[in-house]
Amino acid sequence: MPSDLEKAMETLIMVFHRYADTEGSKASLNRKELKQLMETELSSFLKTQKDPAAIDRIMKDLDSNGDGEVNFEEFVSLVVGLSIACEQLFQKQKQSAGVKKH
Amino acid sequence: MPSDLEKAMETLIMVFHRYADTEGSKASLNRKELKQLMETELSSFLKTQKDPAAIDRIMKDLDSNGDGEVNFEEFVSLVVGLSIACEQLFQKQKQSAGVKKH
């Protein structure tokens, strides 16, 4: 039976390939695939991005090898950044909840 | 309703805190907590590590700020490394499965 952590890692791979496999190279997300992934999987994050060119900016930020596509390693760096930001928020909420109790 | 990707990111945070919160600093894993996490959440990976001092080596590798503990950012780098390795394996299996079909 896979552990919670193993299931989460498997989900990262499955979600990436759910979009990367739709067209072109199955090993990377082109712009359209990245847009679909973000609109479906990260819609709340995307809504916080006021910049209408957010997708293009994120694509450029992620595409560290400059091939115009986002491979799994580049995609995971987005997940890492978002997870770290969420965990810091989680810590702050825990601390402020702890302060209210005293 | 959170998406699959949001649930996976939430799981990374929940799993980290399931162990980090047991003793000492709630913002990081000490050696005992990292050992418990790995034995429970990454047991199959740990079994591939022949080195009896694997936990200490992994702890040293992850502890990039050298404070003797593993914070969330350092923990996520382990998850990234393992996910990338798994995804490459997944790609190879897909390619070899594709070759057999032709």
Side-chain angles (χ1 to χ4, degrees):
Chain A
M1 237 304 267
S3 70
D4 290 339
L5 188 56
E6 286 163 337
K7 277 185 259 171
M9 293 195 298
E10 197 183 322
T11 300
L12 299 182
I13 296 169
M14 289 307 129
V15 165
F16 175 80
H17 281 284
R18 188 181 296 160
Y19 297 89
D21 291 5
T22 38
E23 61 182 50
S25 160
K26 295 193 186 308
S28 55
L29 299 160
N30 59 28
R31 188 191 178 281
K32 192 174 140 200
E33 291 166 333
L34 177 65
K35 186 169 186 284
Q36 282 168 339
L37 186 153
M38 298 206 65
E39 286 171 351
T40 316
E41 300 288 336
L42 295 171
S43 56
S44 20
F45 164 70
L46 206 52
K47 278 182 202 127
T48 63
Q49 305 298 300
K50 300 287 168 268
D51 170 7
I55 300 275
D56 293 300
R57 184 172 41 80
I58 291 166
M59 181 113 197
K60 211 168 140 237
D61 288 348
L62 295 180
D63 181 21
S64 46
N65 66 5
D67 66 353
E69 304 232 332
V70 173
N71 63 29
F72 183 73
E73 200 161 333
E74 294 163 338
F75 162 71
V76 164
S77 68
L78 171 65
V79 173
V80 164
L82 293 173
S83 303
I84 289 169
C86 290
E87 196 270 338
Q88 284 165 352
L89 205 65
F90 174 74
Q91 289 259 31
K92 274 189 199 123
Q93 283 166 349
K94 252 188 7 175
Q95 278 152 14
S96 60
V99 167
K100 273 184 214 128
K101 266 192 232 153
H102 291 296
Chain B
M1 242 296 272
S3 69
D4 289 339
L5 188 56
E6 287 165 337
K7 276 185 256 171
M9 294 196 298
E10 197 183 322
T11 300
L12 298 183
I13 296 170
M14 290 307 130
V15 165
F16 175 79
H17 280 284
R18 189 181 293 161
Y19 298 88
D21 291 5
T22 39
E23 59 182 51
S25 160
K26 294 192 186 309
S28 55
L29 300 161
N30 60 29
R31 186 190 179 286
K32 192 175 140 199
E33 291 166 332
L34 177 67
K35 186 169 182 288
Q36 283 168 337
L37 186 153
M38 298 207 64
E39 286 171 351
T40 316
E41 300 288 335
L42 296 171
S43 54
S44 21
F45 164 71
L46 207 52
K47 277 181 202 125
T48 63
Q49 303 299 302
K50 300 288 170 266
D51 171 8
I55 300 275
D56 293 299
R57 184 172 41 79
I58 291 166
M59 181 110 196
K60 213 169 137 233
D61 288 349
L62 295 180
D63 181 20
S64 48
N65 66 6
D67 65 353
E69 304 232 332
V70 173
N71 62 31
F72 182 74
E73 201 163 330
E74 294 164 337
F75 163 72
V76 164
S77 66
L78 171 66
V79 173
V80 164
L82 293 172
S83 304
I84 289 169
C86 290
E87 196 270 338
Q88 283 163 354
L89 206 65
F90 174 76
Q91 289 260 31
K92 273 189 200 122
Q93 283 166 349
K94 252 191 2 178
Q95 275 149 17
S96 60
V99 166
K100 274 183 213 129
K101 268 192 231 147
H102 292 293

